[in-house]
Amino acid sequence: GDSVTQMEGPVTLSEEAFLTINCTYTATGYPSLFWYVQYPGEGLQLLLKATKADDKGSNKGFEATYRKETTSFHLEKGSVQVSDSAVYFCALASGGSYIPTFGRGTSLIVHP
Amino acid sequence: GAVVSQHPSRVICKSGTSVKIECRSLDFQATTMFWYRQFPKQSLMLMATSNEGSKATYEQGVEKDKFLINHASLTLSTLTVTSAHPEDSSFYICSAARVAGGRDNEQFFGPGTRLTVL
């Protein structure tokens, strides 16, 4: 079945550092890929998405590229801020399904 | 657009009581809504899929008599935790799908409800 594997956290960075959170997936067909962000005490917000191979999703300085050959969708940001501290979830949805399969989440902590 | 709300945001109840959580799509119609449960520092676990006008579909291991779901309209789904116990304490999140099928599928998530059972 479908699955998503994320790097374990927490990831602790200083402000303005470069961020990478790795995500790989296993799926049948050609899934859509998502990154969601969950700020403390809140629900999930869609951060970015990509629906086909080589697409790059981007939002708020975050980027992720759909790599079919490596089945990856790594999240990157060039310069993190304290306000980026949150839990980030990688997810996929296969075919016509709109039910995402989520990774376990990666906690990001950014220090001033 | 595509805002989903939940009410209440936090609830504390005594063991043995029932608690109802509402999920509303504010600016779109959602034929399908989803209920998730999130344990501390873990991912979201899909509990059930709620379809307007029909019975909910529960995931394996989720007690349908314990977690009653009603999707009364195209903008409202409710989750009732019956005879709640401390082990039911969790963060419950709903989501709504605006587009039925297709590659550009997306769910919109509510802000979550923190349930604490004493």
Side-chain angles (χ1 to χ4, degrees), chain A residues 30-32 34 36 38 41-44 46 49 51-52 66 89 93-100 102-105, chain B residues 10 31-32 34 36 38 41-44 46 49 91 93 97 99-107 109-112 114:
Chain A
Y30 302 95
S32 295
F34 308 87
Y36 287 88
Q38 184 179 32
E42 299 183 12
L44 271 68
L46 178 65
K49 66 178 181 181
T51 57
K52 61 182 187 296
Y66 190 143
F89 291 92
S94 283
S97 171
Y98 37 82
I99 304 176
F102 288 93
R104 292 176 60 89
Chain B
R10 291 179 177 270
T31 54
T32 306
F34 306 87
Y36 294 84
Q38 185 181 30
K41 298 185 179 181
Q42 294 191 29
S43 189
L44 280 70
L46 179 65
T49 301
F91 195 52
I93 301 174
V99 177
R103 288 189 59 82
D104 196 17
N105 41 30
E106 184 177 345
Q107 291 189 24
F109 288 81
R114 173 73 61 193

Side-chain angles (χ1 to χ4, degrees), chain A residues 4 13 25 81 108:
Chain A
V4 176
L13 296 172
Y25 67 90
Q81 305 299 313
L108 171 65

Side-chain angles (χ1 to χ4, degrees), chain A residues 23-104:
Chain A
C23 171
T24 57
Y25 67 90
T26 302
T28 54
Y30 302 95
S32 295
L33 301 174
F34 308 87
W35 276 101
Y36 287 88
V37 58
Q38 184 179 32
Y39 297 102
E42 299 183 12
L44 271 68
Q45 301 175 26
L46 178 65
L47 181 60
L48 53 85
K49 66 178 181 181
T51 57
K52 61 182 187 296
D54 299 325
D55 270 1
K56 177 185 284 187
S58 62
N59 185 25
K60 299 181 181 179
F62 291 89
E63 295 183 337
T65 302
Y66 190 143
R67 301 287 188 198
K68 186 171 182 295
E69 63 276 13
T70 55
T71 61
S72 64
F73 193 55
H74 304 321
L75 182 68
E76 296 182 337
K77 186 174 185 182
S79 176
V80 294
Q81 305 299 313
V82 173
S83 57
D84 293 327
S85 298
V87 180
Y88 292 81
F89 291 92
C90 186
L92 68 83
S94 283
S97 171
Y98 37 82
I99 304 176
T101 298
F102 288 93
R104 292 176 60 89

Side-chain angles (χ1 to χ4, degrees), chain B residues 48-114:
Chain B
T49 301
S50 169
N51 298 295
E52 187 267 339
S54 64
K55 291 183 179 180
T57 303
Y58 290 83
E59 296 299 301
Q60 192 172 8
V62 178
E63 298 176 63
K64 61 181 179 181
D65 295 331
K66 172 77 170 175
F67 298 99
L68 299 179
I69 292 172
N70 182 27
H71 197 148
S73 74
L74 288 172
T75 58
L76 173 64
S77 175
T78 59
L79 168 68
T80 301
V81 183
T82 62
S83 187
H85 289 91
E87 58 266 29
D88 298 324
S89 298
S90 193
F91 195 52
Y92 292 88
I93 301 174
C94 75
S95 69
R98 182 169 61 176
V99 177
R103 288 189 59 82
D104 196 17
N105 41 30
E106 184 177 345
Q107 291 189 24
F108 299 92
F109 288 81
T113 296
R114 173 73 61 193

